PDB file of all heavy atoms in Angstrom:
ATOM      1  N   ASP J 302       0.810  -1.222   0.000  1.00  0.00           N
ATOM      2  CA  ASP J 302       0.000   0.000   0.000  1.00  0.00           C
ATOM      3  C   ASP J 302       0.837   1.262   0.000  1.00  0.00           C
ATOM      4  O   ASP J 302       0.318   2.354  -0.107  1.00  0.00           O
ATOM      5  CB  ASP J 302      -0.956   0.017   1.193  1.00  0.00           C
ATOM      6  CG  ASP J 302      -0.235  -0.213   2.504  1.00  0.00           C
ATOM      7  OD1 ASP J 302       0.938   0.204   2.595  1.00  0.00           O
ATOM      8  OD2 ASP J 302      -0.833  -0.800   3.416  1.00  0.00           O
ATOM      9  N   GLY J 303       2.141   1.137   0.178  1.00  0.00           N
ATOM     10  CA  GLY J 303       2.996   2.310   0.152  1.00  0.00           C
ATOM     11  C   GLY J 303       2.969   3.117   1.417  1.00  0.00           C
ATOM     12  O   GLY J 303       3.738   4.060   1.569  1.00  0.00           O
ATOM     13  N   ASP J 304       2.101   2.807   2.368  1.00  0.00           N
ATOM     14  CA  ASP J 304       2.005   3.570   3.598  1.00  0.00           C
ATOM     15  C   ASP J 304       2.874   2.997   4.695  1.00  0.00           C
ATOM     16  O   ASP J 304       3.009   3.592   5.746  1.00  0.00           O
ATOM     17  CB  ASP J 304       0.558   3.597   4.106  1.00  0.00           C
ATOM     18  CG  ASP J 304      -0.311   4.447   3.211  1.00  0.00           C
ATOM     19  OD1 ASP J 304       0.090   5.585   2.939  1.00  0.00           O
ATOM     20  OD2 ASP J 304      -1.367   3.972   2.786  1.00  0.00           O
ATOM     21  N   ALA J 305       3.429   1.846   4.473  1.00  0.00           N
ATOM     22  CA  ALA J 305       4.233   1.209   5.503  1.00  0.00           C
ATOM     23  C   ALA J 305       5.457   0.582   4.873  1.00  0.00           C
ATOM     24  O   ALA J 305       5.494   0.304   3.684  1.00  0.00           O
ATOM     25  CB  ALA J 305       3.422   0.122   6.220  1.00  0.00           C
ATOM     26  N   TRP J 306       6.484   0.368   5.651  1.00  0.00           N
ATOM     27  CA  TRP J 306       7.610  -0.423   5.203  1.00  0.00           C
ATOM     28  C   TRP J 306       7.857  -1.447   6.264  1.00  0.00           C
ATOM     29  O   TRP J 306       7.486  -1.298   7.413  1.00  0.00           O
ATOM     30  CB  TRP J 306       8.842   0.449   4.966  1.00  0.00           C
ATOM     31  CG  TRP J 306       9.228   1.282   6.126  1.00  0.00           C
ATOM     32  CD1 TRP J 306       8.882   2.575   6.380  1.00  0.00           C
ATOM     33  CD2 TRP J 306      10.012   0.875   7.251  1.00  0.00           C
ATOM     34  NE1 TRP J 306       9.386   3.001   7.567  1.00  0.00           N
ATOM     35  CE2 TRP J 306      10.094   1.982   8.130  1.00  0.00           C
ATOM     36  CE3 TRP J 306      10.662  -0.306   7.598  1.00  0.00           C
ATOM     37  CZ2 TRP J 306      10.792   1.928   9.313  1.00  0.00           C
ATOM     38  CZ3 TRP J 306      11.353  -0.351   8.796  1.00  0.00           C
ATOM     39  CH2 TRP J 306      11.412   0.760   9.634  1.00  0.00           C
ATOM     40  N   MET J 307       8.490  -2.507   5.894  1.00  0.00           N
ATOM     41  CA  MET J 307       8.737  -3.540   6.884  1.00  0.00           C
ATOM     42  C   MET J 307      10.112  -4.133   6.676  1.00  0.00           C
ATOM     43  O   MET J 307      10.658  -4.099   5.580  1.00  0.00           O
ATOM     44  CB  MET J 307       7.683  -4.642   6.811  1.00  0.00           C
ATOM     45  CG  MET J 307       7.548  -5.323   5.461  1.00  0.00           C
ATOM     46  SD  MET J 307       6.216  -6.530   5.467  1.00  0.00           S
ATOM     47  CE  MET J 307       6.221  -7.013   3.737  1.00  0.00           C
ATOM     48  N   THR J 308      10.693  -4.643   7.735  1.00  0.00           N
ATOM     49  CA  THR J 308      11.959  -5.330   7.684  1.00  0.00           C
ATOM     50  C   THR J 308      11.703  -6.741   8.162  1.00  0.00           C
ATOM     51  O   THR J 308      11.634  -6.984   9.357  1.00  0.00           O
ATOM     52  CB  THR J 308      12.992  -4.638   8.593  1.00  0.00           C
ATOM     53  OG1 THR J 308      13.062  -3.266   8.236  1.00  0.00           O
ATOM     54  CG2 THR J 308      14.347  -5.270   8.448  1.00  0.00           C
ATOM     55  N   ALA J 309      11.492  -7.639   7.239  1.00  0.00           N
ATOM     56  CA  ALA J 309      11.178  -9.009   7.608  1.00  0.00           C
ATOM     57  C   ALA J 309      11.227  -9.868   6.364  1.00  0.00           C
ATOM     58  O   ALA J 309      10.550  -9.579   5.400  1.00  0.00           O
ATOM     59  CB  ALA J 309       9.794  -9.101   8.240  1.00  0.00           C
ATOM     60  N   SER J 310      12.059 -10.903   6.396  1.00  0.00           N
ATOM     61  CA  SER J 310      12.076 -11.799   5.254  1.00  0.00           C
ATOM     62  C   SER J 310      10.888 -12.734   5.274  1.00  0.00           C
ATOM     63  O   SER J 310      10.271 -12.962   4.239  1.00  0.00           O
ATOM     64  CB  SER J 310      13.386 -12.579   5.203  1.00  0.00           C
ATOM     65  OG  SER J 310      13.609 -13.258   6.409  1.00  0.00           O
ATOM     66  N   PRO J 311      10.490 -13.318   6.428  1.00  0.00           N
ATOM     67  CA  PRO J 311       9.310 -14.183   6.410  1.00  0.00           C
ATOM     68  C   PRO J 311       8.043 -13.350   6.387  1.00  0.00           C
ATOM     69  O   PRO J 311       7.873 -12.467   7.214  1.00  0.00           O
ATOM     70  CB  PRO J 311       9.428 -14.975   7.721  1.00  0.00           C
ATOM     71  CG  PRO J 311      10.196 -14.089   8.628  1.00  0.00           C
ATOM     72  CD  PRO J 311      11.133 -13.317   7.756  1.00  0.00           C
ATOM     73  N   PRO J 312       7.148 -13.529   5.425  1.00  0.00           N
ATOM     74  CA  PRO J 312       5.899 -12.756   5.404  1.00  0.00           C
ATOM     75  C   PRO J 312       5.006 -13.188   6.548  1.00  0.00           C
ATOM     76  O   PRO J 312       5.250 -14.212   7.182  1.00  0.00           O
ATOM     77  CB  PRO J 312       5.290 -13.133   4.050  1.00  0.00           C
ATOM     78  CG  PRO J 312       5.848 -14.485   3.766  1.00  0.00           C
ATOM     79  CD  PRO J 312       7.239 -14.491   4.330  1.00  0.00           C
ATOM     80  N   PRO J 313       3.955 -12.391   6.867  1.00  0.00           N
ATOM     81  CA  PRO J 313       3.043 -12.776   7.941  1.00  0.00           C
ATOM     82  C   PRO J 313       2.542 -14.200   7.743  1.00  0.00           C
ATOM     83  O   PRO J 313       2.064 -14.572   6.677  1.00  0.00           O
ATOM     84  CB  PRO J 313       1.907 -11.762   7.811  1.00  0.00           C
ATOM     85  CG  PRO J 313       2.559 -10.567   7.209  1.00  0.00           C
ATOM     86  CD  PRO J 313       3.587 -11.115   6.264  1.00  0.00           C
ATOM     87  N   GLY J 314       2.685 -15.022   8.762  1.00  0.00           N
ATOM     88  CA  GLY J 314       2.209 -16.394   8.711  1.00  0.00           C
ATOM     89  C   GLY J 314       3.302 -17.388   8.409  1.00  0.00           C
ATOM     90  O   GLY J 314       3.130 -18.583   8.648  1.00  0.00           O
ATOM     91  N   ALA J 315       4.479 -16.915   7.873  1.00  0.00           N
ATOM     92  CA  ALA J 315       5.537 -17.853   7.565  1.00  0.00           C
ATOM     93  C   ALA J 315       6.083 -18.440   8.843  1.00  0.00           C
ATOM     94  O   ALA J 315       6.255 -17.749   9.835  1.00  0.00           O
ATOM     95  CB  ALA J 315       6.654 -17.151   6.789  1.00  0.00           C
ATOM     96  N   GLY J 316       6.384 -19.707   8.812  1.00  0.00           N
ATOM     97  CA  GLY J 316       6.947 -20.357   9.984  1.00  0.00           C
ATOM     98  C   GLY J 316       5.911 -20.712  11.010  1.00  0.00           C
ATOM     99  O   GLY J 316       6.242 -21.085  12.125  1.00  0.00           O
ATOM    100  N   ALA J 317       4.601 -20.602  10.676  1.00  0.00           N
ATOM    101  CA  ALA J 317       3.558 -20.925  11.647  1.00  0.00           C
ATOM    102  C   ALA J 317       3.499 -22.426  11.854  1.00  0.00           C
ATOM    103  O   ALA J 317       3.712 -23.205  10.926  1.00  0.00           O
ATOM    104  CB  ALA J 317       2.212 -20.421  11.146  1.00  0.00           C
ATOM    105  N   PRO J 318       3.222 -22.872  13.046  1.00  0.00           N
ATOM    106  CA  PRO J 318       3.137 -24.313  13.296  1.00  0.00           C
ATOM    107  C   PRO J 318       1.953 -24.905  12.534  1.00  0.00           C
ATOM    108  O   PRO J 318       0.908 -24.300  12.366  1.00  0.00           O
ATOM    109  CB  PRO J 318       2.930 -24.385  14.812  1.00  0.00           C
ATOM    110  CG  PRO J 318       2.340 -23.068  15.190  1.00  0.00           C
ATOM    111  CD  PRO J 318       2.965 -22.081  14.261  1.00  0.00           C
ATOM    112  N   ALA J 319       2.152 -26.127  12.056  1.00  0.00           N
ATOM    113  CA  ALA J 319       1.094 -26.808  11.310  1.00  0.00           C
ATOM    114  C   ALA J 319      -0.091 -27.093  12.208  1.00  0.00           C
ATOM    115  O   ALA J 319       0.062 -27.403  13.379  1.00  0.00           O
ATOM    116  CB  ALA J 319       1.635 -28.120  10.730  1.00  0.00           C
ATOM    117  N   ARG J 320      -1.305 -26.974  11.654  1.00  0.00           N
ATOM    118  CA  ARG J 320      -2.516 -27.242  12.415  1.00  0.00           C
ATOM    119  C   ARG J 320      -3.288 -28.378  11.749  1.00  0.00           C
ATOM    120  O   ARG J 320      -3.255 -28.546  10.535  1.00  0.00           O
ATOM    121  CB  ARG J 320      -3.395 -25.994  12.501  1.00  0.00           C
ATOM    122  CG  ARG J 320      -2.727 -24.849  13.240  1.00  0.00           C
ATOM    123  CD  ARG J 320      -3.609 -23.612  13.196  1.00  0.00           C
ATOM    124  NE  ARG J 320      -2.938 -22.486  13.815  1.00  0.00           N
ATOM    125  CZ  ARG J 320      -3.427 -21.826  14.851  1.00  0.00           C
ATOM    126  NH1 ARG J 320      -4.557 -22.198  15.416  1.00  0.00           N
ATOM    127  NH2 ARG J 320      -2.776 -20.787  15.342  1.00  0.00           N
ATOM    128  N   LYS J 321      -4.025 -29.105  12.508  1.00  0.00           N
ATOM    129  CA  LYS J 321      -4.812 -30.220  11.988  1.00  0.00           C
ATOM    130  C   LYS J 321      -5.955 -29.674  11.128  1.00  0.00           C
ATOM    131  O   LYS J 321      -6.690 -28.793  11.544  1.00  0.00           O
ATOM    132  CB  LYS J 321      -5.370 -31.046  13.145  1.00  0.00           C
ATOM    133  CG  LYS J 321      -6.081 -32.307  12.696  1.00  0.00           C
ATOM    134  CD  LYS J 321      -6.544 -33.108  13.908  1.00  0.00           C
ATOM    135  CE  LYS J 321      -7.268 -34.366  13.474  1.00  0.00           C
ATOM    136  NZ  LYS J 321      -7.718 -35.157  14.635  1.00  0.00           N
ATOM    137  N   ALA J 322      -6.063 -30.202   9.888  1.00  0.00           N
ATOM    138  CA  ALA J 322      -7.098 -29.722   8.968  1.00  0.00           C
ATOM    139  C   ALA J 322      -8.480 -30.208   9.388  1.00  0.00           C
ATOM    140  O   ALA J 322      -8.624 -31.257  10.023  1.00  0.00           O
ATOM    141  CB  ALA J 322      -6.798 -30.225   7.547  1.00  0.00           C
ATOM    142  N   LEU J 323      -9.502 -29.411   9.033  1.00  0.00           N
ATOM    143  CA  LEU J 323     -10.873 -29.813   9.313  1.00  0.00           C
ATOM    144  C   LEU J 323     -11.282 -30.973   8.406  1.00  0.00           C
ATOM    145  O   LEU J 323     -10.850 -31.081   7.252  1.00  0.00           O
ATOM    146  CB  LEU J 323     -11.826 -28.629   9.094  1.00  0.00           C
ATOM    147  CG  LEU J 323     -11.699 -27.455  10.068  1.00  0.00           C
ATOM    148  CD1 LEU J 323     -12.680 -26.365   9.665  1.00  0.00           C
ATOM    149  CD2 LEU J 323     -11.931 -27.895  11.489  1.00  0.00           C
ATOM    150  N   ARG J 324     -12.141 -31.818   8.929  1.00  0.00           N
ATOM    151  CA  ARG J 324     -12.656 -32.938   8.124  1.00  0.00           C
ATOM    152  C   ARG J 324     -13.662 -32.405   7.098  1.00  0.00           C
ATOM    153  O   ARG J 324     -14.281 -31.353   7.292  1.00  0.00           O
ATOM    154  CB  ARG J 324     -13.341 -33.960   9.034  1.00  0.00           C
ATOM    155  CG  ARG J 324     -12.375 -34.591  10.043  1.00  0.00           C
ATOM    156  CD  ARG J 324     -13.109 -35.573  10.931  1.00  0.00           C
ATOM    157  NE  ARG J 324     -12.225 -36.139  11.913  1.00  0.00           N
ATOM    158  CZ  ARG J 324     -11.434 -37.197  11.689  1.00  0.00           C
ATOM    159  NH1 ARG J 324     -11.454 -37.786  10.485  1.00  0.00           N
ATOM    160  NH2 ARG J 324     -10.646 -37.666  12.624  1.00  0.00           N
ATOM    161  N   PRO J 325     -13.835 -33.132   5.978  1.00  0.00           N
ATOM    162  CA  PRO J 325     -14.782 -32.665   4.930  1.00  0.00           C
ATOM    163  C   PRO J 325     -16.176 -32.410   5.460  1.00  0.00           C
ATOM    164  O   PRO J 325     -16.820 -31.416   5.080  1.00  0.00           O
ATOM    165  CB  PRO J 325     -14.743 -33.811   3.927  1.00  0.00           C
ATOM    166  CG  PRO J 325     -13.385 -34.420   4.102  1.00  0.00           C
ATOM    167  CD  PRO J 325     -13.085 -34.326   5.568  1.00  0.00           C
ATOM    168  N   TRP J 326     -16.689 -33.257   6.322  1.00  0.00           N
ATOM    169  CA  TRP J 326     -18.062 -33.053   6.808  1.00  0.00           C
ATOM    170  C   TRP J 326     -18.157 -31.785   7.650  1.00  0.00           C
ATOM    171  O   TRP J 326     -19.193 -31.118   7.688  1.00  0.00           O
ATOM    172  CB  TRP J 326     -18.551 -34.283   7.588  1.00  0.00           C
ATOM    173  CG  TRP J 326     -17.840 -34.511   8.917  1.00  0.00           C
ATOM    174  CD1 TRP J 326     -16.775 -35.297   9.143  1.00  0.00           C
ATOM    175  CD2 TRP J 326     -18.195 -33.935  10.180  1.00  0.00           C
ATOM    176  NE1 TRP J 326     -16.410 -35.261  10.452  1.00  0.00           N
ATOM    177  CE2 TRP J 326     -17.281 -34.437  11.126  1.00  0.00           C
ATOM    178  CE3 TRP J 326     -19.211 -33.051  10.608  1.00  0.00           C
ATOM    179  CZ2 TRP J 326     -17.328 -34.073  12.463  1.00  0.00           C
ATOM    180  CZ3 TRP J 326     -19.253 -32.703  11.955  1.00  0.00           C
ATOM    181  CH2 TRP J 326     -18.317 -33.209  12.850  1.00  0.00           C
ATOM    182  N   GLN J 327     -17.017 -31.426   8.341  1.00  0.00           N
ATOM    183  CA  GLN J 327     -17.034 -30.198   9.143  1.00  0.00           C
ATOM    184  C   GLN J 327     -17.135 -28.967   8.229  1.00  0.00           C
ATOM    185  O   GLN J 327     -17.836 -28.009   8.525  1.00  0.00           O
ATOM    186  CB  GLN J 327     -15.773 -30.132  10.008  1.00  0.00           C
ATOM    187  CG  GLN J 327     -15.751 -31.193  11.121  1.00  0.00           C
ATOM    188  CD  GLN J 327     -14.446 -31.181  11.888  1.00  0.00           C
ATOM    189  OE1 GLN J 327     -13.382 -31.208  11.299  1.00  0.00           O
ATOM    190  NE2 GLN J 327     -14.545 -31.140  13.206  1.00  0.00           N
ATOM    191  N   TRP J 328     -16.410 -28.999   7.091  1.00  0.00           N
ATOM    192  CA  TRP J 328     -16.494 -27.888   6.153  1.00  0.00           C
ATOM    193  C   TRP J 328     -17.904 -27.781   5.569  1.00  0.00           C
ATOM    194  O   TRP J 328     -18.416 -26.698   5.321  1.00  0.00           O
ATOM    195  CB  TRP J 328     -15.491 -28.095   5.012  1.00  0.00           C
ATOM    196  CG  TRP J 328     -14.098 -27.644   5.373  1.00  0.00           C
ATOM    197  CD1 TRP J 328     -13.010 -28.412   5.578  1.00  0.00           C
ATOM    198  CD2 TRP J 328     -13.677 -26.296   5.554  1.00  0.00           C
ATOM    199  NE1 TRP J 328     -11.938 -27.638   5.903  1.00  0.00           N
ATOM    200  CE2 TRP J 328     -12.315 -26.316   5.889  1.00  0.00           C
ATOM    201  CE3 TRP J 328     -14.335 -25.060   5.477  1.00  0.00           C
ATOM    202  CZ2 TRP J 328     -11.581 -25.180   6.139  1.00  0.00           C
ATOM    203  CZ3 TRP J 328     -13.612 -23.914   5.728  1.00  0.00           C
ATOM    204  CH2 TRP J 328     -12.258 -23.974   6.058  1.00  0.00           C
ATOM    205  N   THR J 329     -18.522 -28.932   5.352  1.00  0.00           N
ATOM    206  CA  THR J 329     -19.895 -28.924   4.807  1.00  0.00           C
ATOM    207  C   THR J 329     -20.842 -28.233   5.772  1.00  0.00           C
ATOM    208  O   THR J 329     -21.674 -27.393   5.389  1.00  0.00           O
ATOM    209  CB  THR J 329     -20.361 -30.357   4.547  1.00  0.00           C
ATOM    210  OG1 THR J 329     -19.471 -30.978   3.617  1.00  0.00           O
ATOM    211  CG2 THR J 329     -21.778 -30.372   3.979  1.00  0.00           C
ATOM    212  N   VAL J 330     -20.760 -28.606   7.047  1.00  0.00           N
ATOM    213  CA  VAL J 330     -21.624 -27.994   8.057  1.00  0.00           C
ATOM    214  C   VAL J 330     -21.387 -26.492   8.125  1.00  0.00           C
ATOM    215  O   VAL J 330     -22.326 -25.680   8.173  1.00  0.00           O
ATOM    216  CB  VAL J 330     -21.396 -28.652   9.422  1.00  0.00           C
ATOM    217  CG1 VAL J 330     -22.141 -27.885  10.511  1.00  0.00           C
ATOM    218  CG2 VAL J 330     -21.854 -30.111   9.388  1.00  0.00           C
ATOM    219  N   LEU J 331     -20.110 -26.092   8.143  1.00  0.00           N
ATOM    220  CA  LEU J 331     -19.790 -24.663   8.224  1.00  0.00           C
ATOM    221  C   LEU J 331     -20.306 -23.925   6.998  1.00  0.00           C
ATOM    222  O   LEU J 331     -20.782 -22.786   7.089  1.00  0.00           O
ATOM    223  CB  LEU J 331     -18.276 -24.475   8.354  1.00  0.00           C
ATOM    224  CG  LEU J 331     -17.667 -24.877   9.701  1.00  0.00           C
ATOM    225  CD1 LEU J 331     -16.154 -24.780   9.648  1.00  0.00           C
ATOM    226  CD2 LEU J 331     -18.215 -23.984  10.808  1.00  0.00           C
ATOM    227  N   GLY J 332     -20.207 -24.549   5.821  1.00  0.00           N
ATOM    228  CA  GLY J 332     -20.708 -23.900   4.619  1.00  0.00           C
ATOM    229  C   GLY J 332     -22.205 -23.682   4.673  1.00  0.00           C
ATOM    230  O   GLY J 332     -22.725 -22.653   4.246  1.00  0.00           O
ATOM    231  N   VAL J 333     -22.945 -24.689   5.181  1.00  0.00           N
ATOM    232  CA  VAL J 333     -24.405 -24.547   5.309  1.00  0.00           C
ATOM    233  C   VAL J 333     -24.740 -23.418   6.262  1.00  0.00           C
ATOM    234  O   VAL J 333     -25.618 -22.576   5.999  1.00  0.00           O
ATOM    235  CB  VAL J 333     -25.019 -25.876   5.781  1.00  0.00           C
ATOM    236  CG1 VAL J 333     -26.487 -25.672   6.130  1.00  0.00           C
ATOM    237  CG2 VAL J 333     -24.865 -26.957   4.720  1.00  0.00           C
ATOM    238  N   VAL J 334     -24.073 -23.391   7.401  1.00  0.00           N
ATOM    239  CA  VAL J 334     -24.328 -22.332   8.383  1.00  0.00           C
ATOM    240  C   VAL J 334     -24.031 -20.970   7.783  1.00  0.00           C
ATOM    241  O   VAL J 334     -24.781 -19.999   7.959  1.00  0.00           O
ATOM    242  CB  VAL J 334     -23.476 -22.566   9.650  1.00  0.00           C
ATOM    243  CG1 VAL J 334     -23.590 -21.373  10.589  1.00  0.00           C
ATOM    244  CG2 VAL J 334     -23.903 -23.854  10.336  1.00  0.00           C
ATOM    245  N   ALA J 335     -22.921 -20.852   7.045  1.00  0.00           N
ATOM    246  CA  ALA J 335     -22.581 -19.574   6.417  1.00  0.00           C
ATOM    247  C   ALA J 335     -23.639 -19.149   5.414  1.00  0.00           C
ATOM    248  O   ALA J 335     -24.016 -17.981   5.320  1.00  0.00           O
ATOM    249  CB  ALA J 335     -21.214 -19.680   5.730  1.00  0.00           C
ATOM    250  N   GLY J 336     -24.147 -20.120   4.635  1.00  0.00           N
ATOM    251  CA  GLY J 336     -25.179 -19.792   3.672  1.00  0.00           C
ATOM    252  C   GLY J 336     -26.448 -19.306   4.327  1.00  0.00           C
ATOM    253  O   GLY J 336     -27.101 -18.369   3.862  1.00  0.00           O
ATOM    254  N   LEU J 337     -26.857 -19.953   5.422  1.00  0.00           N
ATOM    255  CA  LEU J 337     -28.060 -19.533   6.139  1.00  0.00           C
ATOM    256  C   LEU J 337     -27.882 -18.119   6.701  1.00  0.00           C
ATOM    257  O   LEU J 337     -28.800 -17.296   6.638  1.00  0.00           O
ATOM    258  CB  LEU J 337     -28.360 -20.516   7.264  1.00  0.00           C
ATOM    259  CG  LEU J 337     -28.792 -21.932   6.806  1.00  0.00           C
ATOM    260  CD1 LEU J 337     -28.907 -22.857   8.018  1.00  0.00           C
ATOM    261  CD2 LEU J 337     -30.125 -21.866   6.061  1.00  0.00           C
ATOM    262  N   LEU J 338     -26.700 -17.832   7.263  1.00  0.00           N
ATOM    263  CA  LEU J 338     -26.453 -16.492   7.822  1.00  0.00           C
ATOM    264  C   LEU J 338     -26.469 -15.446   6.717  1.00  0.00           C
ATOM    265  O   LEU J 338     -27.021 -14.350   6.878  1.00  0.00           O
ATOM    266  CB  LEU J 338     -25.105 -16.465   8.540  1.00  0.00           C
ATOM    267  CG  LEU J 338     -25.036 -17.213   9.873  1.00  0.00           C
ATOM    268  CD1 LEU J 338     -23.611 -17.213  10.414  1.00  0.00           C
ATOM    269  CD2 LEU J 338     -25.978 -16.567  10.889  1.00  0.00           C
ATOM    270  N   ALA J 339     -25.860 -15.772   5.592  1.00  0.00           N
ATOM    271  CA  ALA J 339     -25.827 -14.806   4.495  1.00  0.00           C
ATOM    272  C   ALA J 339     -27.232 -14.525   3.976  1.00  0.00           C
ATOM    273  O   ALA J 339     -27.589 -13.392   3.667  1.00  0.00           O
ATOM    274  CB  ALA J 339     -24.937 -15.336   3.368  1.00  0.00           C
ATOM    275  N   ALA J 340     -28.051 -15.578   3.869  1.00  0.00           N
ATOM    276  CA  ALA J 340     -29.427 -15.383   3.391  1.00  0.00           C
ATOM    277  C   ALA J 340     -30.225 -14.539   4.357  1.00  0.00           C
ATOM    278  O   ALA J 340     -31.017 -13.679   3.971  1.00  0.00           O
ATOM    279  CB  ALA J 340     -30.089 -16.745   3.191  1.00  0.00           C
ATOM    280  N   ALA J 341     -30.034 -14.777   5.639  1.00  0.00           N
ATOM    281  CA  ALA J 341     -30.770 -14.020   6.649  1.00  0.00           C
ATOM    282  C   ALA J 341     -30.389 -12.554   6.617  1.00  0.00           C
ATOM    283  O   ALA J 341     -31.204 -11.673   6.856  1.00  0.00           O
ATOM    284  CB  ALA J 341     -30.516 -14.612   8.031  1.00  0.00           C
ATOM    285  N   LEU J 342     -29.138 -12.263   6.312  1.00  0.00           N
ATOM    286  CA  LEU J 342     -28.670 -10.878   6.311  1.00  0.00           C
ATOM    287  C   LEU J 342     -28.827 -10.218   4.953  1.00  0.00           C
ATOM    288  O   LEU J 342     -28.557  -9.026   4.799  1.00  0.00           O
ATOM    289  CB  LEU J 342     -27.187 -10.815   6.722  1.00  0.00           C
ATOM    290  CG  LEU J 342     -26.874 -11.279   8.154  1.00  0.00           C
ATOM    291  CD1 LEU J 342     -25.363 -11.321   8.381  1.00  0.00           C
ATOM    292  CD2 LEU J 342     -27.525 -10.338   9.163  1.00  0.00           C
ATOM    293  N   GLY J 343     -29.269 -10.982   3.983  1.00  0.00           N
ATOM    294  CA  GLY J 343     -29.465 -10.403   2.652  1.00  0.00           C
ATOM    295  C   GLY J 343     -28.168 -10.147   1.939  1.00  0.00           C
ATOM    296  O   GLY J 343     -28.092  -9.246   1.106  1.00  0.00           O
ATOM    297  N   THR J 344     -27.124 -10.875   2.253  1.00  0.00           N
ATOM    298  CA  THR J 344     -25.824 -10.677   1.619  1.00  0.00           C
ATOM    299  C   THR J 344     -25.477 -11.899   0.803  1.00  0.00           C
ATOM    300  O   THR J 344     -26.081 -12.952   0.922  1.00  0.00           O
ATOM    301  CB  THR J 344     -24.729 -10.454   2.686  1.00  0.00           C
ATOM    302  OG1 THR J 344     -24.683 -11.593   3.536  1.00  0.00           O
ATOM    303  CG2 THR J 344     -25.026  -9.218   3.516  1.00  0.00           C
ATOM    304  N   ALA J 345     -24.420 -11.740   0.010  1.00  0.00           N
ATOM    305  CA  ALA J 345     -24.011 -12.844  -0.868  1.00  0.00           C
ATOM    306  C   ALA J 345     -23.356 -13.946  -0.060  1.00  0.00           C
ATOM    307  O   ALA J 345     -22.723 -13.715   0.960  1.00  0.00           O
ATOM    308  CB  ALA J 345     -23.025 -12.319  -1.909  1.00  0.00           C
ATOM    309  N   THR J 346     -23.538 -15.177  -0.530  1.00  0.00           N
ATOM    310  CA  THR J 346     -22.889 -16.306   0.120  1.00  0.00           C
ATOM    311  C   THR J 346     -21.395 -16.266  -0.181  1.00  0.00           C
ATOM    312  O   THR J 346     -20.976 -15.919  -1.272  1.00  0.00           O
ATOM    313  CB  THR J 346     -23.469 -17.638  -0.416  1.00  0.00           C
ATOM    314  OG1 THR J 346     -24.864 -17.634  -0.183  1.00  0.00           O
ATOM    315  CG2 THR J 346     -22.823 -18.833   0.252  1.00  0.00           C
TER     316      THR J 346
END
């Protein structure tokens, strides 16, 4: 953005410890919940 400068070779998030990925069914549930919330608020999914 030109408004900041930084001194850091690793970008934000580099070197973060690995985390256990969500299972497919968990993503499905979260997607449904997100869709319901978006519909209720009149916003895009």
Side-chain angles (χ1 to χ4, degrees):
D302 53 32
D304 290 310
W306 54 266
M307 57 183 175
T308 306
S310 55
R320 297 176 184 239
K321 186 177 179 180
L323 293 178
R324 297 179 182 275
W326 68 266
Q327 291 175 310
W328 277 111
T329 301
V330 172
L331 289 174
V333 171
V334 172
L337 292 174
L338 288 175
L342 296 173
T344 59
T346 302

